[in-house]
Amino acid sequence: MTNKLHEFKDTAALAENLADAVASVLKVAITERGAASIAVSGGSTPKQFFKALSSRKLDWPKVTVTLVDERFVPADNARSNHLLVAENLLQGEAATARFLPLYRETATIGEAAHLASTDIAAVAVPFDVVILGMGNDGHTASFFPGGDRLSEALSLQTPRGVITMEAEGAGEPRLTLTFSSLQDARLLVLHIEGQAKKDTLDKALAAGTESEMPVRAVLNRAKTPVDIYWAP
């Protein structure tokens, strides 16, 4: 199976086209089984896409939204992916979607990962849609180069669910879905913007190790071909 690069003239065109593609998959899932699921990334890149998707006509109460990763910070923290999704995607009719956060107010991040894994296990597998981002260091989700549990996170032997991750440069400790949770989505998207990210992608597509650039696991080993959405 071959990954596909979708190039757009600008980020606005990318957001609209990606929203259309995602909405189409979610609509099919709702028609086929009465429910749909999507796991999304954080950071600043998906804001336009989130706003575009929130305007699509969907049976939103039948859609479950979760995150591919999260910082271990409260939902009202400015660096929270939960806050990003709440302010940009879960608006209007989309606010009626079911949202499964990864962060929980627990004593330890390990306890939060356990609770989030329990909720994720109740969602039909595979996810209908997974939207991943990518850092300039080649990380995706919270699969960071040098991460303390990187090998475990990337192994298909690690069950579906949420595990913890700490890495230099990651800031706060992270909660992340395992690679096994993400790699077989019906629609698997890598959403990147800007020339620097395109240069990183080109490097990731060249020979090298997953430990150096963890996004290579997605590009090379995912069961579902990756749809790469890019705009300068």
Side-chain angles (χ1 to χ4, degrees), residues 5-70:
L5 176 64
H6 306 263
E7 297 186 51
F8 298 91
K9 64 178 182 179
D10 54 36
T11 58
L14 184 158
E16 293 296 325
N17 280 271
L18 181 53
D20 285 342
V22 169
S24 178
V25 172
L26 296 178
K27 286 178 182 177
V28 169
I30 291 169
T31 298
E32 289 180 346
R33 69 174 197 278
S37 59
I38 176 172
V40 298
S41 60
S44 60
T45 298
K47 284 185 179 180
Q48 279 184 294
F49 158 64
F50 285 165
K51 291 177 180 178
L53 182 59
S54 71
S55 71
R56 297 308 189 261
K57 295 298 182 182
L58 286 168
D59 194 348
W60 282 104
K62 295 180 180 177
V63 177
T64 295
V65 179
T66 192
L67 294 158
V68 299
D69 67 333
E70 179 61 283

Side-chain angles (χ1 to χ4, degrees), residues 3 20 27 36 62 79 136 151 169 185 210:
N3 302 326
D20 285 342
K27 286 178 182 177
K62 295 180 180 177
R79 287 172 56 77
N136 288 328
S151 295
E210 293 178 4

Side-chain angles (χ1 to χ4, degrees), residues 136 198-208 212-213 216:
N136 288 328
K198 181 62 163 55
D199 292 344
T200 300
L201 173 67
D202 291 341
K203 183 178 179 181
L205 290 170
E212 177 191 19
M213 300 185 76
R216 286 181 173 134

